[in-house]
Amino acid sequence: MRALHRPEKNESEGDKSVEYEREKTKSPVQTQSGGAQESLSIEETNRLRAKLGLKPLEVNEKPADDGKFKDDLGEFYHKPATNITEQKKTEKLKEKIKERKEKRNIEEKLQTTLLGEGSDDDDASAWVKRSRAIETQKKEAAKRAAMLDEMDAAFGVSALLPPRAPPAPAPYRAPSLRGLRVAHQLDALEDERETILTLADKEILAEDPEDVLINVNIVDNERYKKNVEERKKARAGYQAYDEEAELQASLGFRRSVLSKYDEQIQPDQLDKDKGFVIGDEASLDAHRRRELLLAQGPASRRMESLALPQPQLAADYMDQHEIQAKFKKTKRKGKMRTKPKDEPIDADTYDAAAAPLDTDDTDVRAGAAALVVDEEETEPDTELHAALARARRLRLKEVQDAAVPKVEELLERVKEEQVEAGPEGMLFDATAEFCRTLGEAPAYFAKQNPHSPEHNPDMDVEEAASGAWSRVDVDSEKPADLKAGSGAGALAGEPALGAGVAGALRLALSKGYLQRAGAAPAPPAAHSLAARHYSIEDKTYTDDDKHGRRERGYSGPLTDFREKSNFRPTVKLDYVDDDGRPLAPKEAFRYLSHKFHGKGPGKNKQEKRIKKAVQEGLMKKMSSTDTPLGTLQMLQDKQRETRSPYVLLSGAKRDAPH
Amino acid sequence: MLEVTCNDRLGKKVRVKCNPDDTVGDLKKLIAAQTGTRYDKIVLKKWYTVFKDHIKLADYEIHDGMNLELYYQ
């Protein structure tokens, strides 16, 4: 780094370490080992920033001239807050101004002349003049009105105006009423009495232009009756055997269906059928005649005779009709679904082991059963096999024995080798090397030989002379003589406590319980134990933020714990049975479940498992090259015996006499 | 222009002048120049908030005189 000197004084306020920093000339940006605060001036910072490629520092802006203030981040201009006192003042002023304005307006209005005040002229003459002026004005107005009236009359405007009094109504007679309909029956109109009929209300935009006359009272009566009927009907409900309706139907009237809903479907209609037309004599006569007829008696009246059919002897045989009705065969449409029948299985039809019984999941293989059966039959062959196996085993044993050498043989061999080697040259022996290295161990062995300190100085000199090599007597029983080294001060082993007081004193001295007169033990050099970068200054907690109040005894990890990258552990989960057999995950889980729940499998399950294990064993014992019966082996043996490449099978053709 | 104090509690305490629109990465470079470490080894934190390199100081609302914690990775 180039040597740069600081052109100006450091800007850090009242820092003690400023003087120290000035001494260093390597670079202006070096920190102190004391870890003191350090800050660069703006110029230096700008220089550094230019070197790093950043834009220079922005100096603080003054608030704008127009009095606006920027917020903390320096981004927005904020509106100054409203001054409430000023606001109140302005409001008061406004109110006052308004009041005064209104007062002024009122006073202006009141600026009329009062009775007491007014014209200050000579009273009499002024008044006379005024009164005359008023008169003349009146006259002129009257004249003008008269003129206007004349003009109106001249143009005939008066005719357009409606007449003042309406004319008297012209009386009308019977002929003028011809053709009008009355909405009531003729019966409803009482005889010998006047009934006043009025026009019925009609919509303006109704389709038919016919006017209908009604009497209000009759209408009310009818409505009342109808309502009563309706209420009765409603209370009654649906009448399946409505006698009245039946009667009416028999008489010839149309039978109404669900008459109780008529009101809802066709509400309040003045029936077109009801009523009559004034002046229409013909229809009236017809109507009258019809009613007479009805009163007399209907044309068609269903009459029931009370005569019952003659009682007859019942016939023993059925009629043709009855036969047809009873024994009619109905065609079945579609197929009927037939279930498969569960017939009992006939035991004879199936072989012993091949019956399709749905009892067990596992199929006991026919082969296994056959195996068991066959093994019994082929006894002579298994004997041979057993003999062969025995011989094989013996041979294996010999080979194995030969491989493991016996210890005694080894030792003899070693001794022979040693004798052969002789004293010339350097013999490197494992034991010798081992014992040599023993010579450098600390003073444990010193206590075993209490008289050893006498030998030690001599030995030391010898050793020092020979350098690294040292001879150790392997044959002698004595362990190596070692001297307790002076050690590196504090890290040496403590002197062993001997039998007597001297040892105790030595130990106490070394530990520091006692002090030798005059000689105080030299303290260890301060720099070896002290921390290198420690300074008390760091402990000033000037900031009163949460970091100052944080738990200082925290000695946990300061950085996050990071996992080793690129580490892929090889995971192999192997489960083993109680017997030592490896388990599949499913079986392992089963085993775990048994252990967890404390309940094992049941008897059947256990038997199944045992069977399975036995099966597996058999599978393993089975020869892979041959059939279970050893057919191939038999074939080969037979071939060897007969010394022919073929084998004659026993068959009917062969045995049969030619 | 604001001045930020960075303290790792092992003896390094530096005051760095920077702009509010500087990114945290730039601040780290300035700190690195002053402390002598490498800027990509520096982690600036405040309690458990780790300041990301590409975000400006103003967005983190780091004002004048704030103390940041200096860690190393």
Side-chain angles (χ1 to χ4, degrees), chain B residues 6-73:
Chain B
C6 300
N7 188 1
D8 75 339
R9 298 200 172 251
L10 305 167
K12 279 211 186 94
K13 193 167 175 183
V14 286
R15 285 191 291 154
V16 180
K17 291 187 174 67
C18 51
N19 284 332
D21 62 350
D22 280 346
T23 63
V24 172
D26 300 337
L27 177 63
K28 283 189 185 177
K29 285 187 186 158
L30 291 167
I31 293 167
Q34 277 192 260
T35 58
T37 59
R38 282 182 44 196
Y39 73 91
D40 52 356
K41 296 278 182 195
I42 289 174
V43 175
L44 289 173
K45 277 195 199 179
K46 191 110 181 128
W47 194 230
Y48 281 122
T49 315
V50 179
F51 293 127
K52 297 204 175 107
D53 286 0
H54 56 278
I55 297 176
K56 294 187 190 165
L57 296 181
D59 294 332
Y60 270 127
E61 300 202 5
I62 294 172
H63 302 314
D64 188 22
M66 265 178 82
N67 287 287
L68 305 180
E69 294 158 26
L70 190 60
Y71 293 93
Y72 303 98
Q73 62 176 339

Side-chain angles (χ1 to χ4, degrees), chain A residues 39-40 45 47 133 136 161 171 175 212 219 269 280-281 289 331 355 377 382 396 469 494 534 624 652:
Chain A
S39 174
L40 306 173
T45 315
R47 223 180 293 139
T136 47
L161 293 169
V212 181
V219 164
Q269 270 186 0
D280 192 3
E281 300 296 336
R289 244 178 272 133
K331 273 192 216 164
E377 289 175 18
T382 48
L396 276 169
W469 300 108
E494 63 179 43
Y534 178 72
S624 57

Side-chain angles (χ1 to χ4, degrees), chain A residues 620-639:
Chain A
K620 287 200 181 126
K621 276 199 233 161
M622 191 174 77
S623 82
S624 57
T625 50
D626 205 353
T627 65
L629 302 174
T631 319
L632 185 63
Q633 190 67 35
M634 280 198 288
L635 177 70
Q636 285 176 345
D637 294 338
K638 200 75 186 170
Q639 282 177 345

Side-chain angles (χ1 to χ4, degrees), chain A residues 17-76:
Chain A
S17 49
V18 169
E19 273 98 37
Y20 295 118
E21 287 169 4
R22 280 233 218 102
E23 287 173 33
K24 302 260 172 172
T25 52
K26 266 193 193 168
S27 116
V29 293
Q30 197 184 25
T31 46
Q32 293 305 297
S33 58
Q37 291 194 26
E38 158 139 11
S39 174
L40 306 173
S41 70
I42 293 177
E43 281 213 13
E44 284 163 13
T45 315
N46 279 329
R47 223 180 293 139
L48 178 62
R49 287 172 75 93
K51 198 163 62 160
L52 289 171
L54 305 166
K55 62 177 191 179
L57 286 173
E58 296 162 357
V59 192
N60 271 336
E61 298 172 4
K62 303 282 187 324
D65 289 339
D66 52 354
K68 295 192 211 165
F69 294 97
K70 274 203 169 169
D71 72 335
D72 291 349
L73 294 172
E75 283 177 14
F76 303 108

Side-chain angles (χ1 to χ4, degrees), chain A residues 315-386:
Chain A
D316 290 334
Y317 307 101
M318 288 196 277
D319 263 12
Q320 197 62 15
H321 302 288
E322 285 175 18
I323 288 166
Q324 273 188 11
K326 215 173 189 180
F327 298 112
K328 216 188 221 179
K329 269 198 177 175
T330 52
K331 273 192 216 164
R332 201 191 295 161
K333 290 178 189 171
K335 295 184 204 161
M336 259 186 61
R337 198 170 65 96
T338 53
K339 277 193 227 171
K341 289 193 194 159
D342 288 331
E343 293 167 348
I345 301 170
D346 196 2
D348 297 332
T349 53
Y350 294 99
D351 289 335
L357 302 161
D358 299 10
T359 51
D360 208 352
D361 294 339
T362 57
D363 299 325
V364 179
R365 269 179 282 130
L371 234 176
V372 173
V373 169
D374 287 342
E375 269 178 11
E376 295 167 357
E377 289 175 18
T378 57
E379 268 181 70
D381 278 6
T382 48
E383 276 187 12
L384 172 66
H385 285 304

Side-chain angles (χ1 to χ4, degrees), chain A residues 269-290:
Chain A
Q269 270 186 0
L270 287 162
D271 286 350
K272 289 284 173 170
D273 303 338
K274 267 189 0 182
F276 61 95
V277 181
I278 297 172
D280 192 3
E281 300 296 336
S283 68
L284 276 169
D285 286 338
H287 189 77
R288 234 178 266 140
R289 244 178 272 133
R290 215 191 302 134

